[in-house]
């Protein structure tokens, strides 16, 4: 006799030591209960019957350990008609229910199916084979319903993540310029929840190229939505002419108004690059430094990569209305690039140490080994390099965003 194996990830039904199915019978009539017991014994279903006589006892049994199926009489001391079915479904919505009706109550059986039962059986008209098939099919249909619901939910989540990612990671808004932009985003290996890393690049009417990169603390739809909000607000403010510390103050006002709970904060780096004058104004709100690539300069034509860490203030949202930030001007080489990144690029643990993080110094050393590569290849090589030296488990531990801004003849 073949046994029916039921497996539902994350919520296992109860079973005895012999691997039999557990069928919970809710029936107050001892004679009808004996009839069900005989039907189960004569069927081809390897199952054990657990008998209770009221809805209250049934709910207690369901909370103690979920059976594979419930056989439910519609006339009980503490529930009549569909009220009992509703209580069972509320207590254990993932357990299939087959209702038991009298000879003149087929309409009640149909109503029960419409209300959430998997099937119904008419007392006195059930043969052992039909009884066994009904229970088997009810269990299998419930599994199929759960699998289909999980698939629909996963598809909806994937669609929502895609919409959020499009908001977090826009196309640069540039006119004719001497700056070439390379942007990359890599999700963390967990991929269970969407992160709040974001970036944007726009060019103002005076030719200055503005860029931002940020990271909202935590992972999930609330954090991602807040990242989208900050990114859009930053673009709007910059194109409206708001720059300098006032830009970060306005972003913080928006963050504190839109965040879902007061613990949320965001680190941000924003810059205003003047490629013709070879200078850049940088502000940091709790964000990591940036890499400066020099393709030429006083030390000759050998490509160089250095970590620069301009002055910074606290992350947005940590000290609302109190924090302040200042701009720092950097002089730039004749040809070169600035590389903005989120902390996922250097906070992962390395295989060489097992516990120590790569850190910004380690990232800089890695970037120097690829200093001779053109922009797109340089960015991809650095990200791949970080992935390759990750500790066992592989991949990036957190989401990573990278923006590479290159100017001059070397681009």
């Amino acid at each position: 006799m073949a046994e029916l194996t039921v497996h539902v990830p994350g919520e296992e039904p109860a079973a005895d030591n012999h691997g039999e199915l557990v069928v919970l019978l809710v029936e107050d009539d001892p004679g009808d209960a004996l009839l069900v017991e005989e039907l189960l014994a004569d069927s081809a279903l390897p199952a054990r019957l657990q008998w209770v006589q009221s809805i209250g006892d049934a709910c207690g049994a369901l909370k103690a350990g979920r059976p594979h199926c419930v056989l439910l009489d519609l006339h009980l001391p503490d529930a009549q008609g569909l009220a009992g079915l509703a209580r069972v479904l509320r207590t254990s919505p993932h357990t299939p229910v087959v209702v038991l009706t009298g000879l003149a109550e087929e309409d009640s059986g149909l109503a029960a199916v419409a209300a959430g039962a998997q099937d119904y059986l008419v007392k006195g008209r059930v043969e052992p084979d039909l009884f066994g098939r009904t229970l088997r099919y009810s269990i299998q249909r419930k599994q199929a319903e759960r699998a289909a619901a999980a698939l629909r939910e996963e598809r909806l989540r994937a669609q929502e993540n895609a919409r959020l990612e499009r908001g977090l990671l826009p196309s640069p808004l540039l006119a004719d310029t001497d700056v070439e932009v390379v942007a990359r985003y890599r999700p963390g290996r967990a991929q269970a929840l969407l992160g709040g890393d974001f970036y944007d690049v726009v060019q103002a009417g005076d030719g200055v190229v503005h860029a931002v990169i940020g990271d909202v603390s935590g992972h999930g739809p609330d954090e991602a939505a807040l990242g989208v909000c900050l990114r859009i607000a930053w673009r709007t403010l910059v194109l409206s002419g708001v720059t300098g510390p006032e830009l970060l103050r306005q972003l913080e006002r928006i963050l504190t108004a839109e965040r879902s709970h007061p613990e949320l904060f965001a680190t941000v780096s924003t810059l205003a690059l003047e490629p013709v004058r070879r200078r850049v104004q940088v502000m940091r709100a709790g964000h990591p430094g940036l890499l400066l690539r020099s393709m030429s300069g006083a030390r000759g034509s050998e490509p160089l990569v250095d970590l620069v860490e301009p002055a910074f203030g606290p992350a947005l949202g940590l000290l609302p209305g109190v924090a302040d930030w200042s701009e720092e001007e950097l002089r730039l080489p004749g040809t070169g690039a600035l590389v903005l990144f989120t902390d996922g690029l250097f906070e992962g643990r390395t295989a060489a140490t097992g516990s120590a993080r790569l850190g910004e110094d380690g990232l800089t050393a890695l970037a120097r080994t690829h200093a001779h590569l053109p922009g797109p290849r340089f960015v991809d090589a650095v990200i791949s390099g970080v992935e390759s030296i990750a500790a066992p488990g592989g991949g990036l531990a957190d989401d990573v965003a990278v923006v590479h801004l290159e100017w001059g003849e070397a681009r």
Side-chain angles (χ1 to χ4, degrees), residues 61-107:
L62 288 167
K63 292 175 181 177
R66 187 168 64 84
H68 294 85
C69 185
V70 174
L71 282 171
L72 176 66
D73 183 35
L74 291 180
H75 300 286
L76 295 165
D78 55 349
Q80 292 290 317
L82 299 181
L85 173 63
R87 286 182 62 185
V88 168
L89 293 177
R90 283 197 303 269
T91 303
S92 184
H94 300 310
T95 303
V97 179
V98 176
V99 300
L100 301 172
T101 68
L103 293 174
E105 296 180 315
E106 284 202 58
D107 288 345

Side-chain angles (χ1 to χ4, degrees), residues 159-171 194-201 212 223-235:
Q159 291 170 358
E160 182 63 19
N161 282 354
R163 284 193 290 270
L164 287 170
E165 284 188 3
R166 286 195 296 271
L168 291 166
L169 316 172
S171 298
L194 187 66
D197 291 16
F198 63 94
Y199 64 77
D200 202 353
V201 181
V212 67
E223 290 79 0
L226 182 57
V228 174
C229 180
L230 292 175
R231 200 277 303 167
I232 294 174
W234 176 88
R235 177 178 280 204

Side-chain angles (χ1 to χ4, degrees), residues 156-410:
L156 288 173
R157 185 182 297 112
Q159 291 170 358
E160 182 63 19
N161 282 354
R163 284 193 290 270
L164 287 170
E165 284 188 3
R166 286 195 296 271
L168 291 166
L169 316 172
S171 298
L173 184 60
L174 298 173
D176 294 334
T177 180
D178 291 330
V179 176
E180 181 178 347
V181 178
V182 177
R184 297 285 188 269
Y185 170 79
R186 294 287 189 277
R189 63 170 175 257
Q191 263 300 61
L193 295 171
L194 187 66
D197 291 16
F198 63 94
Y199 64 77
D200 202 353
V201 181
V202 299
Q203 186 174 22
D206 58 4
V208 176
V209 175
H210 299 264
V212 67
I213 195 162
D215 185 1
V216 178
S217 60
H219 292 78
D222 289 341
E223 290 79 0
L226 182 57
V228 174
C229 180
L230 292 175
R231 200 277 303 167
I232 294 174
W234 176 88
R235 177 178 280 204
T236 303
L237 288 166
V238 168
L239 292 179
S240 299
V242 180
T243 59
E246 181 63 18
L247 174 60
L248 291 182
R249 284 193 287 269
Q250 293 299 330
L251 287 178
E252 185 173 63
R253 288 184 61 192
I254 292 167
L255 180 146
T256 55
E258 296 293 335
R259 61 185 173 184
S260 57
H261 54 83
E263 292 78 19
L264 274 183
F265 64 91
T267 67
V268 173
S269 282
T270 182
L271 59 82
L273 171 63
E274 299 179 66
V276 176
R277 302 177 67 180
R278 297 298 188 263
R279 69 178 187 180
V280 62
Q281 301 285 341
V282 182
M283 291 186 298
R284 292 194 298 154
H287 203 77
L290 58 157
L291 297 177
L292 174 61
R293 300 183 66 197
S294 176
M295 283 68 167
S296 66
R299 288 181 283 182
S301 60
E302 179 184 356
L304 300 171
V305 178
D306 291 303
L307 177 69
V308 293
E309 298 182 281
F312 70 97
L316 303 184
L318 289 183
L319 300 169
V322 177
D324 200 6
W325 303 270
S326 59
E327 283 187 307
E328 182 171 332
E329 182 175 312
L330 302 178
R331 303 303 300 179
L332 301 175
T335 57
L338 287 168
V339 186
L340 305 172
F341 50 87
T342 53
D343 59 11
L345 194 61
F346 62 85
E347 285 201 334
R349 304 184 188 277
T350 66
T353 63
S355 60
R357 299 185 184 279
L358 175 63
E360 291 173 280
D361 290 338
L363 174 63
T364 304
L366 172 64
R368 284 172 178 161
T369 66
H370 304 295
H372 61 286
L373 296 175
R377 292 177 57 195
F378 171 83
V379 174
D380 292 337
V382 170
I383 294 174
S384 298
V386 171
E387 290 177 318
S388 68
I389 63 177
L396 299 166
D398 195 3
D399 295 349
V400 168
V402 180
V403 178
H404 182 280
L405 305 166
E406 186 173 346
W407 61 88
E409 297 178 355

